Amino acid sequence: MILTETSVEEIKEKAAKYPRRKSAILPALTVAYRQLGYVDEEIYREVSKVIGVPNVEIAEAATFYTMFPKKPRGKYLIQVCHNISCALLGADSLISYLEEKLGINKGETTEDNLFTLISVECLGSCSTAPMMQINHDFHENLTRDKVDKILAGLKAKA
Amino acid sequence: MAEATAKKDTPEIAEQMVTLTIDGKEVSVPKGTTVLQAATQMGIHVPTFCWHPKLKPVGACRMCYVEVEKMPKLQVSCALEAMDGMVVYTDSDTVKQGRKAIIEFILLNHPLDCPTCDKGGECDLQNLTFAHGVDDSRFDFQKYRFVDEGMTTTFDDKRIGPEIVLNRNRCILCYKCVRANKEAFGEYDLGVYERGNTAEINSAPGEEVDNPYSGNLVEICPVGALTNSDWRYKIRVWLTTTTPSVCNYSSSGTNILFFKEEHKNKIYRVTSRPNDDIDDGWLADVTRYGYQVVNSPDRLKKPLIKKEGKQVEASWKEALDVIGKRFGEIKAKLGGVCVGALVAPSLDNASLYAASRLMRTAFESNNIDFRGDYRMLPDNPESPFMILASQPFRIADIDDSDVIVSFGSDLVKEHQNEYLRIRKACNFSNTSVFSINPYAVKSADVARQELVYKPGTEEIVINGICLAAIEDDLVDRNLAVGLKSRIAPAAAAEAARLCGVEIGALRNVARALSEGKKVTFFTGEIITRSRERDLIATALFNLRKLFKMESKGQMAALARYANSKGAEKLGLLPEPKPALKSKLTSIWGHDPDCPANITDAMMAQIKKEEIKGFFIMGANPMMLYPDREFVKEGLEKLEFLVVCDLFETETTELADVVLPLASWAEYDGYYVNLEGKTQKALRAVKPMGEAKPGYAIVNSIVAALKTEVFQSDEQIHSQVKELLKLESVIPIPDEFGDVHPASDDRGGEYNVALYVIDDPHHSGYLTEKAPSLANFVSEPYIEISFEVAAKLKVEQGDSVRVESEIGKVILPAKISEHITNEVALLPRNFASTGVTSVMMRKRRVDRVKLSRVVE
Amino acid sequence: MFYSPVITNAAEAAGHKDLHLFKYIEDPQQHKIETYEAHGGYKAWKKVLKGMSADQVIEEVKKSGLRGRGGAGFPTGMKWGFVPKASTKPRYLCCNADESEPGTCKDRVLMERDPHGVIEGMAISAYAIDCHLMFIYIRGEFDHCRERMEQAMDEAYARGHLGKNINGSGYDLEMIVHTGGGAYICGEETALLNSIEGERGMSRMRPPFPAIEGLYACPTIVNNVESLASVPHIINRGGDWYASLGTEKSKGTKIFSLSGHVKRPGNYEVEMGFNLKKLIFDPEYGGGMLDDKKLKGVIPGGASTPFLTPDMIDVGLDYEALQTVGSMLGSGAIIVINEDACIVWVIKKLIHFFRHESCGKCTPCREGTGWLEKIINRIELGQGQPGDIEKIEDVCGNILGRTICPLGDAAVMPIQSAIKQWRDEWLYHIEHKKCMVKTNFEFK
Ligand SMILES: Cc1cc2nc3c(=O)[nH]c(=O)nc-3n(C[C@H](O)[C@H](O)[C@H](O)COP(=O)(O)O)c2cc1C
Ligand code: SF4
Ligand code: FES
């Protein structure tokens, strides 16, 4: 098993609340994603066993939703909103700035495996644009200064 | 067990009608009918891609647009309920424009590779594009292409199952395949992944699409996205012609269509010929691919005669001369009683009837049976089990049954179409299914409750249900009193303990049976194969009377083979029913009154040298009758053995004369399905080599014997017709019967119950010759649960020794999540299995010892 | 704990007797149950449990004239009334917190800062339809919202506002916080139900409507966070009070998310019918155009609503008024665009979004959005062809009103209006193979 016992327990606990087993698919994928940062076929199979739902149903759901990458990403997944409200306030330039700072292109991971940079659809921070989400945290009203500080902070922490 | 599912609130209302206008004409349809169905009923064709008559509508493709007055937008007729006063147009300019736009959308990314596409000529998209006059594309971009690693072309052909090839580029995402797989078949080996315009169909990750209904997916795909290796790149559809027929591997008599090429005398494929009363248009794979047996190069093409211990090819004349001479001698010396016959219940009526007449009139012997693979069957034609088997049963009545009990039947392995019916009933109405078996079965996935009883305790389970009903006061008290004195144990709790089923489960069945308005209750092979089948039948009659089921629904033992019912109706048993017997006497002017022996007794008589000559047609007792040594000793002891078959088998090996038998696809024949319905299967191709139909073989034997018992084929047909008209249902006794649990001989260390099954992709002993079916499963195995496997310390595929008191076989383990208790399942479809060498004739349930083979 | 830096008009709300959703929104302790209760929280829920029948609750909400804040503006009380009284099946309430419509960021603020308000609203609404298990579907990316909601839910259970026999009333109510996995379509109510069921988030055919056959084929009500959060106030102060706010047909207050080129982007609670121009330019609100650039256009109700040109913005923010100018109130997300934005660039952003988010179930949306994106991209890249505009219009026409759910409409309406309002700019783009105005927005 790749899923830890804690994850399995958490999945079971969540699954137990729903009137039907199949409803546990998204909660289970979320738990797996939190543990691993990705969800692949092996995980589908494990989840399928834990919640007692056919493997194919897990795979169908998992690939429908964009939040569950199939491969591991860098330690920090930077998701920059490129949608309209953010774009009006320079999201595209924010992405270029990050590409430059990290020395990677959008969609890539830094060599030290620390940062992966992707752009995503609207994350509901339209009035605090531009923004990016790093792992689970939102960073809003971004400026060059702010970005520099955030990246430096994360690097120092790593 | 299925989870509790919330069902539709369906108030009981008498069928209400609604009247609407479609294209200027009024039509009245039952409430709940869709506009599409209403239009179709009027003969108006509404084009569709995602709609399937047996699946819930999803409204995905949008091809079925219609215009409805007072509704501003185009409506999808497949999901639009017909309402009173609706005014519908199926052919207005807006509708045409809407449909044309859909075709245009679908074609954006669809390759125009029709010339090399197997669906060409029968492709919905091709046809509808033609019909809507779309001849140019306004899409001036590169089409989206799936190209997998290592693939250089856009022809993305992926094998996703033993018989399925997927081309994702052609897929129009109608989802019919995935929906049918899950909804109609209950299978989870195919899915749709990703989303939007890059969504794709594929097999479940790491799995193959190898379920026993997988061929349907190809058939319902509206384009060439799913094709099968069977048909692929072999012939263009317009070069073939079709012949209607029925399946020879199932007792439902699934309706099929042969696609063949006249000059090559070859069948290319089988598709369904939808019949809503029987099959709903679904074919099991064994039905779809089983025809390949007909084309097999291994077929017997000429008669074989044993000369100096070796079988050599001979002409028909030579063979018949030998037969006439040797049978003639036996008959002259010892009397025809010394000849016996075993025929297959998959042969057509004429062949069966001819064989019966041959035995009873030419030989004046009643030694004939058609049940070559059941131990110790009753010889009394009116024994309780035979009564149960004679009961009427209608497949379509499953649809609106509110309670369905499947007892002693691993449905997916024996009645594949009926399983789909039951699924449909569950999907579309409020149906409670109970699955009662000695091991957990796949088909219980739709069950409200699955009852798994201890092997060999069938009558206790039934008594237990009756007792639970009595104790819960669900049944007529007078009846209750009447029954209680006839059965044991005396309390439901005790019955529950003895059969190993929770008492609550017995109670649930009792409640459902007492509340059910229309009940379908049937038994399958596990009951038919049980030595105690008569006792179990009596227990069932008690239950039927207790719950007053006479007036609500049906109860029967389901016939297993394509023409078991025909054989039963035509009296292919040693002792025909009295009514049938007198009819035969009147037709033949001769009363065949002489000793009669069932298969088992015939074998015993052969050993006692009381039967000297034997005629086998289409049966393979060496492979199927319990206790191979017993059968072998018998057949070897015979003075003269004639075997007719399509192939050389373990049984033909022992024959003095082997005759090539024509397959059902090679001559016109009639078959009676499990409902008692006679269906015609037309000749699709000429018999292979010198093979002949069964009745023709019998006729030539009659001629060789120089008797003149029948004149013409027409005569056979008309006599068959007359016999079929006779009432064949034997009334169920009106009295309760005594049912005290029978003993079940368990043999000490041989303590694992063994059930001989058909692999879901096979039926009987012929289908391993169909390459497509062999692609699914070609090797025997022993199926066990994870628990048993753990106990034996075996892993998937490890060798397991299966031993009974009389023999042993070594087989690879197939560890399955379906079965949960300590039983072993053994398929009987492979010549190399040697199943019969561990099966015992007199056992109620076979029991074996399992052990790991240490290498 | 995360605290969204979005600007609100809390100060105004606190002083304004009729603004209620945002009254305590800037109180950093408001998410705690003690604070919430001290501000009068859970009073409505107690009142309902003590002495109101489900029908009375529905009546009150009907009287208030509350209409759904999720986009469609359907009368909330009326929707609840569709739940079949006779059905023996369980009923479910799902709070729609998927908030994925570009431009919208209001529900998030309610959940982060006033989670109990949402729970109380959900509880009362559940009671109104005799539901004993309610869900809140939060988009997966909103991890902070999930955390806040779960904390609040735990507190509510602990205080006996949820669970068995609530406040001795005999009423049981359980709650599940369900999170999504990244899919805009899951905000569409039937896709949301599929998503809770563990299916792919694809929309379902209607009928049957969720109120008759929704979650697990049982009667189900789906309401937006803001709609539900309004309910306790209606119960406390009466439907008549609520109905006295707003316009004749659009009652109450509404939160507008103001984003784009304004000085003070943020969430503002105002009465329905509030003037759009004022919202953008008033120093108390938007404060005018960012860097004092010229206004080019406004999307008034989230990315799926038609554009307004500067001459059209002197309009009331309510369902009817916006309809008269050819647009919609939608989710109340106002996106302000200045003259430096090339309209083709704007549309390229939007169509990319809709193509990406199309679930792929029905043909016109799945194929059509892909086709549109390709054509629009090529125009943006200066490779447009004569006839492209007509083709776009034609394709839009083949999608509009012909899909299973409104995502198809949502995708094409802004395109159609962008072409209508700025056709010359499109033509210029094709003819000159470049933008008429060079878009180049730099972040600071
Ligand atoms: C594509 C699409 C996305 C939607 N997204 C949301 C959403 O994020 N939040 C929401 O409350 N409603 C959303 N809706 C509207 C819902 O379908 C539904 O009408 C609403 O949740 C009902 O709640 P209300 O009556 O309280 O507004 C969306 C609709 C569509 C068609
Ligand atoms: S493979 Fe065929 S049946 Fe399946 S979704 Fe595609 S077009 Fe439809
Ligand atoms: S057939 Fe009606 S939408 Fe496909």
Side-chain angles (χ1 to χ4, degrees):
Chain A
M1 287 286 269
I2 296 170
L3 290 176
T4 58
E5 233 166 81
T6 337
S7 295
V8 170
E9 276 319 303
E10 199 182 334
I11 291 173
K12 284 190 175 154
E13 194 185 305
K14 291 202 158 149
K17 292 192 182 147
Y18 290 89
R20 291 204 204 156
R21 273 200 300 265
K22 209 174 154 188
S23 286
I25 293 182
L26 265 181
L29 289 171
T30 309
V31 171
Y33 172 61
R34 281 174 161 277
Q35 183 199 320
L36 299 158
Y38 69 94
V39 185
D40 67 4
E41 289 181 10
E42 208 151 328
I43 303 301
Y44 303 160
R45 257 189 293 280
E46 290 189 8
V47 166
S48 153
K49 288 229 170 68
V50 175
I51 63 174
V53 168
N55 189 22
V56 70
E57 308 256 30
I58 316 286
E60 285 184 318
T63 57
F64 182 88
Y65 299 99
T66 52
M67 252 177 64
F68 311 114
K70 286 201 197 72
K71 288 198 199 94
R73 302 267 173 99
K75 181 167 184 195
Y76 299 109
L77 175 63
I78 306 180
Q79 312 187 55
V80 185
C81 168
H82 62 207
N83 213 301
I84 186 69
S85 297
C86 283
L88 291 173
L89 291 166
D92 293 345
S93 67
L94 166 59
I95 294 167
S96 313
Y97 183 68
L98 282 162
E99 285 179 332
E100 200 180 303
K101 276 216 72 154
L102 298 169
I104 52 172
N105 287 321
K106 196 170 88 176
E108 294 175 348
T109 302
T110 52
E111 245 164 49
D112 54 7
N113 224 4
L114 213 51
F115 298 102
T116 300
L117 175 67
I118 60 170
S119 73
V120 295
E121 298 306 337
C122 175
L123 285 174
S125 288
C126 319
S127 302
T128 43
M131 69 82 67
M132 63 183 174
Q133 183 178 9
I134 302 186
N135 294 349
H136 296 294
D137 299 329
F138 275 39
H139 301 274
E140 301 168 79
N141 290 329
L142 291 176
T143 60
R144 274 158 222 266
D145 267 2
K146 254 190 178 170
V147 170
D148 291 350
K149 274 202 198 104
I150 292 165
L151 291 186
L154 290 175
K155 272 191 195 144
K157 222 165 70 180
Chain B
M1 199 191 70
E3 290 179 65
T5 47
K7 293 275 170 63
K8 274 194 171 144
D9 281 333
T10 32
E12 292 282 329
I13 27 166
E15 204 163 58
Q16 263 178 319
M17 301 296 281
V18 294
T19 303
L20 64 164
T21 309
I22 305 182
D23 292 347
K25 279 194 224 107
E26 273 204 353
V27 61
S28 290
V29 291
K31 196 171 171 354
T33 308
T34 61
V35 170
L36 177 77
Q37 287 166 322
T40 310
Q41 207 176 308
M42 296 166 74
I44 297 171
H45 175 71
V46 177
T48 62
F49 287 115
C50 70
W51 181 77
H52 187 281
K54 302 297 164 193
L55 301 174
K56 292 181 182 157
V58 290
C61 75
R62 322 298 282 179
M63 192 59 198
C64 64
Y65 283 140
V66 293
E67 217 180 330
V68 181
E69 273 182 15
K70 302 205 185 88
M71 292 176 132
K73 298 176 184 172
L74 284 175
Q75 301 291 314
V76 285
S77 58
C78 68
L80 181 67
E81 190 180 328
M83 296 287 180
D84 244 339
M86 245 179 193
V87 181
V88 179
Y89 302 96
T90 72
D91 207 24
S92 65
D93 288 344
T94 323
V95 169
K96 282 191 203 149
Q97 190 279 333
R99 289 185 190 152
K100 194 166 172 170
I102 296 298
I103 296 272
E104 180 178 40
F105 280 140
I106 291 178
L107 288 178
L108 295 185
N109 290 302
H110 188 89
L112 296 178
D113 58 351
C114 311
T116 53
C117 175
D118 260 294
K119 202 75 176 195
E122 52 177 355
C123 169
D124 290 350
L125 181 56
Q126 204 180 44
N127 295 344
L128 292 176
T129 304
F130 178 81
H132 287 81
V134 182
D135 59 357
D136 194 14
S137 179
R138 293 188 293 165
F139 185 76
D140 43 6
F141 297 92
Q142 180 81 41
K143 286 175 191 266
Y144 182 81
R145 283 294 166 260
F146 291 93
V147 181
D148 276 354
E149 258 172 76
M151 280 183 174
T152 43
T153 85
T154 60
F155 285 86
D156 170 52
D157 285 356
K158 285 186 78 158
R159 231 187 137 74
I160 57 166
E163 278 301 307
I164 301 194
V165 177
L166 166 71
N167 180 314
R168 287 172 294 178
N169 292 322
R170 291 187 191 140
C171 171
I172 64 167
L173 291 172
C174 70
Y175 311 103
K176 266 201 284 203
C177 52
V178 185
R179 283 152 59 211
N181 213 44
K182 290 189 193 175
E183 185 181 319
F185 315 147
E187 293 291 346
Y188 292 88
D189 48 15
L190 183 76
V192 50
Y193 311 97
E194 307 299 329
R195 76 172 179 219
N197 58 356
T198 54
E200 60 168 296
I201 300 292
N202 219 325
S203 59
E207 290 172 41
E208 293 218 306
V209 183
D210 56 1
N211 72 70
Y213 303 99
S214 63
N216 294 302
L217 307 175
V218 173
E219 191 173 326
I220 62 174
C221 178
V223 292
L226 296 174
T227 51
N228 55 11
S229 345
D230 180 36
W231 168 258
R232 218 172 133 73
Y233 296 145
K234 303 237 167 82
I235 195 165
R236 305 257 52 177
V237 68
W238 52 85
L239 299 178
T240 61
T241 52
T242 59
T243 305
S245 183
V246 295
C247 171
N248 200 238
Y249 300 100
S250 72
S251 55
S252 351
T254 315
N255 289 195
I256 59 173
L257 213 50
F258 285 121
F259 283 67
K260 49 152 202 228
E261 211 274 345
E262 299 284 353
H263 304 295
K264 295 200 178 109
N265 194 45
K266 192 177 161 188
I267 302 173
Y268 279 86
R269 73 167 172 191
V270 160
T271 66
S272 79
R273 185 164 57 90
N275 181 338
D276 282 357
D277 287 336
I278 292 179
D279 50 48
D280 272 343
W282 302 123
L283 300 190
D285 282 355
V286 69
T287 303
R288 183 177 306 273
Y289 302 119
Y291 82 88
Q292 293 170 353
V293 168
V294 177
N295 291 344
S296 171
D298 298 344
R299 284 278 299 276
L300 274 167
K301 295 176 195 78
K302 279 174 82 85
L304 304 174
I305 299 181
K306 197 182 261 169
K307 287 184 179 156
E308 286 144 21
K310 265 180 79 181
Q311 290 174 345
V312 293
E313 283 194 355
S315 69
W316 270 96
K317 179 163 180 334
E318 241 180 298
L320 288 166
D321 284 349
V322 177
I323 294 172
K325 182 162 163 280
R326 300 291 299 279
F327 272 152
E329 281 168 10
I330 294 173
K331 188 185 161 193
K333 212 160 54 184
L334 305 156
V337 216
C338 291
V339 179
L342 181 61
V343 293
S346 51
L347 289 169
D348 66 302
N349 287 341
S351 301
L352 291 174
Y353 174 70
S356 158
R357 187 148 182 192
L358 167 72
M359 294 313 293
R360 299 195 213 269
T361 60
F363 288 114
E364 296 187 36
S365 161
N366 276 343
N367 289 330
I368 186 163
D369 204 339
F370 69 92
R371 306 162 303 179
D373 55 345
Y374 297 103
R375 76 191 87 214
M376 311 293 294
L377 272 156
D379 47 6
N380 172 4
E382 303 204 333
S383 73
F385 179 73
M386 296 304 280
I387 297 177
L388 183 65
S390 80
Q391 294 306 304
F393 188 87
R394 257 193 84 221
I395 295 171
D397 278 356
I398 291 174
D399 292 355
D400 55 353
S401 294
D402 54 351
V403 177
I404 299 175
V405 184
S406 162
F407 180 37
S409 177
D410 192 344
L411 270 181
V412 176
K413 299 182 174 115
E414 49 197 53
H415 295 291
Q416 294 168 308
N417 275 75
E418 286 63 40
Y419 167 61
L420 299 191
R421 278 276 169 179
I422 294 173
R423 274 199 81 78
K424 186 177 77 169
C426 294
N427 281 340
F428 288 94
S429 44
N430 245 325
T431 304
S432 297
V433 177
F434 293 92
S435 171
I436 313 182
N437 281 298
Y439 58 89
V441 295
K442 196 262 162 189
S443 52
D445 58 356
V446 290
R448 196 176 106 196
Q449 189 149 30
E450 178 170 30
L451 285 67
V452 177
Y453 59 81
K454 287 188 197 151
T457 60
E458 285 84 2
E459 65 279 17
I460 307 178
V461 178
I462 301 302
N463 285 356
I465 295 169
C466 294
L467 289 165
I470 293 171
E471 289 165 17
D472 290 355
D473 202 14
L474 301 171
V475 287
D476 183 301
R477 292 201 181 142
N478 287 330
L479 288 177
V481 173
L483 180 61
K484 276 212 80 162
S485 61
R486 312 288 300 262
I487 60 172
E494 178 62 2
R497 192 185 64 78
L498 290 173
C499 67
V501 172
E502 301 244 325
I503 182 153
L506 297 176
R507 286 215 166 97
N508 288 345
V509 181
R511 179 157 298 277
L513 286 176
S514 75
E515 285 170 0
K517 295 197 176 58
K518 180 165 176 183
V519 179
T520 286
F521 195 127
F522 61 85
T523 70
E525 289 295 277
I526 291 163
I527 306 303
T528 311
R529 285 169 193 281
S530 168
R531 191 192 61 204
E532 299 303 334
R533 51 178 89 73
D534 277 337
L535 183 68
I536 301 168
T538 307
L540 289 171
F541 296 156
N542 287 345
L543 173 133
R544 181 171 175 271
K545 185 172 160 73
L546 184 69
F547 287 97
K548 299 194 172 148
M549 276 172 58
E550 317 79 72
S551 55
K552 50 172 195 184
Q554 46 185 359
M555 176 188 267
L558 298 190
R560 171 68 184 92
Y561 297 102
N563 206 16
S564 308
K565 268 282 176 203
E568 187 190 311
K569 286 189 161 208
L570 295 169
L572 263 284
L573 292 164
E575 190 77 55
K577 287 169 227 166
L580 187 67
K581 203 162 160 187
S582 60
K583 185 80 188 174
L584 289 174
T585 312
S586 82
I587 300 178
W588 297 340
H590 162 81
D591 176 9
D593 200 13
C594 48
N597 292 291
I598 59 163
T599 312
D600 199 76
M602 284 196 272
M603 290 296 156
Q605 287 218 325
I606 295 172
K607 287 202 209 173
K608 284 193 262 161
E609 304 196 26
E610 280 167 12
I611 290 180
K612 296 272 192 181
F614 208 66
F615 178 65
I616 297 178
M617 187 156 70
N620 187 355
M622 280 289 288
M623 192 163 145
L624 301 177
Y625 198 78
D627 196 344
R628 175 178 289 220
E629 264 321 293
F630 174 78
V631 176
K632 186 156 180 257
E633 268 173 41
L635 295 182
E636 279 176 349
K637 210 154 193 176
L638 283 166
E639 228 162 67
F640 188 59
L641 172 64
V642 178
V643 182
C644 321
D645 210 316
L646 272 71
F647 295 93
E648 288 187 83
T649 68
E650 301 84 331
T651 306
T652 65
E653 263 173 41
L654 304 173
D656 297 285
V657 178
V658 180
L659 300 174
L661 184 64
S663 74
W664 97 108
E666 296 165 328
Y667 61 96
D668 290 356
Y670 290 88
Y671 301 82
V672 186
N673 81 349
L674 63 83
E675 308 176 292
K677 182 170 180 170
T678 305
Q679 301 192 98
K680 195 170 184 176
L682 290 181
R683 189 181 96 151
V685 286
K686 291 197 282 284
M688 179 169 283
E690 296 176 14
K692 287 189 188 183
Y695 64 88
I697 293 180
V698 174
N699 277 345
S700 356
I701 294 178
V702 168
L705 284 167
K706 304 209 170 49
T707 56
E708 282 172 22
V709 284
F710 24 90
Q711 284 85 36
S712 65
D713 293 352
E714 281 76 59
Q715 202 192 26
I716 298 183
H717 283 298
S718 72
Q719 293 179 357
V720 164
K721 258 197 201 142
E722 232 173 293
L723 292 176
L724 291 180
K725 276 190 217 141
L726 288 179
E727 174 57 64
S728 60
V729 176
I730 316 169
I732 291 172
D734 196 35
E735 294 304 308
F736 284 124
D738 288 324
V739 180
H740 292 266
S743 68
D744 178 15
D745 28 21
R746 301 178 193 200
E749 53 179 333
Y750 301 97
N751 56 5
V752 177
L754 176 81
Y755 288 95
V756 172
I757 52 152
D758 274 297
D759 178 89
H761 271 100
H762 290 277
S763 176
Y765 67 98
L766 289 178
T767 55
E768 66 175 322
K769 307 279 192 202
S772 290
L773 295 175
N775 276 345
F776 287 94
V777 188
S778 60
E779 300 281 329
Y781 52 82
I782 177 95
E783 192 172 342
I784 49 177
S785 66
F786 275 100
E787 288 73 20
V788 171
K791 229 196 262 177
L792 299 175
K793 298 201 171 57
V794 298
E795 312 240 338
Q796 204 70 262
D798 285 358
S799 293
V800 174
R801 188 183 296 106
V802 183
E803 278 173 276
S804 74
E805 282 103 318
I806 62 165
K808 70 161 193 243
V809 288
I810 291 177
L811 293 167
K814 176 176 162 187
I815 307 173
S816 129
E817 22 192 297
H818 279 306
I819 26 181
T820 46
N821 53 345
E822 202 160 322
V823 297
L825 311 186
L826 191 54
R828 57 187 192 140
N829 317 94
F830 309 97
S832 54
T833 323
V835 191
T836 47
S837 52
V838 293
M839 289 168 74
M840 293 166 73
R841 281 165 51 240
K842 298 195 169 160
R843 270 285 162 76
R844 172 173 189 160
V845 178
D846 280 298
R847 307 250 175 201
V848 291
K849 180 167 85 178
L850 302 176
S851 52
R852 185 164 72 111
V853 176
V854 195
E855 264 136 58
Chain C
M1 172 56 82
F2 182 86
Y3 200 78
S4 158
V6 72
I7 298 171
T8 66
N9 60 335
E12 189 202 354
H16 191 306
K17 76 172 172 48
D18 288 329
L19 299 184
H20 43 283
L21 290 169
F22 273 2
K23 195 154 199 166
Y24 303 107
I25 210 78
E26 292 290 1
D27 182 335
Q29 301 304 317
Q30 175 69 4
H31 63 278
K32 297 205 170 123
I33 198 159
E34 301 79 24
T35 318
Y36 181 72
E37 284 183 345
H39 289 149
Y42 287 115
K43 236 171 54 194
W45 182 215
K46 283 189 187 140
K47 174 172 165 188
V48 164
L49 285 174
K50 210 175 262 156
M52 281 177 87
S53 70
D55 281 343
Q56 282 171 322
V57 176
I58 296 182
E59 251 343 283
E60 209 56 45
V61 173
K62 274 190 183 160
K63 219 194 287 171
S64 77
L66 174 66
R67 292 167 66 174
R69 305 298 193 222
F74 194 84
T76 305
M78 196 197 287
K79 179 148 82 181
W80 296 355
F82 291 153
V83 171
K85 291 254 172 340
S87 172
T88 52
K89 296 193 288 195
R91 299 104 200 281
Y92 298 108
L93 174 82
C94 300
C95 174
N96 189 343
D98 192 59
E99 188 151 79
S100 308
E101 171 89 9
T104 320
C105 52
K106 64 187 177 74
D107 297 339
R108 180 188 152 200
V109 173
L110 290 173
M111 288 187 282
E112 275 168 22
R113 303 189 187 178
D114 194 12
H116 288 287
V118 179
I119 293 178
E120 186 177 5
M122 285 173 68
I124 296 168
S125 312
Y127 179 89
I129 58 164
D130 193 19
C131 149
H132 300 276
L133 175 60
M134 60 185 192
F135 296 81
I136 181 165
Y137 184 98
I138 306 178
R139 66 179 296 185
E141 297 90 339
F142 279 179
D143 204 50
H144 41 278
C145 292
R146 173 197 58 80
E147 217 172 315
R148 271 281 154 92
M149 287 308 302
E150 280 180 352
Q151 265 171 15
M153 177 177 82
D154 292 345
E155 287 175 343
Y157 267 107
R159 286 275 174 130
H161 297 312
L162 293 174
K164 295 253 176 300
N165 187 17
I166 301 165
N167 288 324
S169 64
Y171 197 81
D172 301 341
L173 181 60
E174 305 292 331
M175 173 172 171
I176 293 181
V177 175
H178 189 94
T179 52
Y184 163 65
I185 186 64
C186 289
E188 192 283 324
E189 57 182 6
T190 60
L192 180 146
L193 300 178
N194 271 343
S195 188
I196 296 183
E197 288 185 17
E199 298 281 344
R200 294 158 61 77
M202 290 190 165
S203 36
R204 302 176 180 170
M205 291 285 295
R206 268 162 299 210
F209 287 90
I212 313 292
E213 221 174 279
L215 191 62
Y216 310 123
C218 297
T220 304
I221 290 297
V222 181
N223 271 132
N224 171 260
V225 172
E226 187 187 345
S227 317
L228 293 174
S230 305
V231 171
H233 303 282
I234 293 171
I235 295 299
N236 277 333
R237 302 176 65 176
D240 288 332
W241 159 75
Y242 197 83
S244 71
L245 307 174
T247 68
E248 193 198 332
K249 286 188 178 153
S250 302
K251 309 288 192 191
T253 68
K254 164 101 194 76
I255 306 171
F256 290 93
S257 305
L258 189 60
S259 70
H261 297 136
V262 287
K263 290 206 171 83
R264 281 168 38 88
N267 282 325
Y268 301 100
E269 183 190 9
V270 292
E271 266 189 60
M272 278 282 190
F274 194 86
N275 185 281
L276 171 59
K277 194 168 185 175
K278 179 166 179 200
L279 194 72
I280 296 173
F281 288 98
D282 193 294
E284 292 284 315
Y285 298 92
M289 294 299 291
L290 189 64
D291 302 331
D292 299 319
K293 294 258 166 117
K294 225 173 111 195
L295 177 67
K296 175 170 191 152
V298 177
I299 303 180
S304 55
T305 54
F307 289 84
L308 302 181
T309 46
D311 54 318
M312 293 156 87
I313 64 164
D314 195 0
V315 64
L317 286 166
D318 60 76
Y319 299 105
E320 291 70 32
L322 281 168
Q323 209 171 354
T324 53
V325 295
S327 192
M328 290 184 297
L329 184 76
S331 58
I334 299 163
I335 305 168
V336 180
I337 302 167
N338 73 20
E339 60 179 352
D340 291 347
C342 161
I343 193 66
V344 181
W345 175 86
V346 170
I347 291 300
K348 181 187 88 169
K349 291 271 170 200
L350 295 184
I351 190 62
H352 173 81
F353 170 75
F354 288 111
R355 197 271 303 148
H356 186 259
E357 300 301 330
S358 166
C359 78
K361 184 168 177 177
C362 64
T363 309
C365 175
R366 178 184 70 236
E367 302 295 336
T369 52
W371 193 3
L372 287 174
E373 186 186 19
K374 281 197 161 73
I375 307 174
I376 290 160
N377 272 355
R378 115 169 137 196
I379 300 176
E380 226 299 282
L381 287 171
Q383 294 158 4
Q385 314 257 317
D388 273 358
I389 296 177
E390 291 71 21
K391 211 187 277 182
I392 292 172
E393 287 178 317
D394 202 47
V395 174
C396 286
N398 287 339
I399 299 175
L400 191 74
R402 296 194 180 167
T403 51
I404 295 180
C405 82
L407 191 138
D409 301 346
V412 302
M413 284 186 304
I415 302 179
Q416 289 176 323
S417 84
I419 292 180
K420 186 172 159 219
Q421 309 294 1
W422 293 281
R423 196 176 193 96
D424 50 339
E425 208 177 315
W426 287 84
L427 283 169
Y428 181 96
H429 220 307
I430 294 174
E431 214 168 288
H432 297 85
K433 311 210 171 302
K434 63 176 182 17
C435 304
M436 198 154 136
V437 280
K438 185 77 204 115
T439 317
N440 191 12
F441 298 121
E442 284 280 338
F443 87 119
K444 296 209 180 81

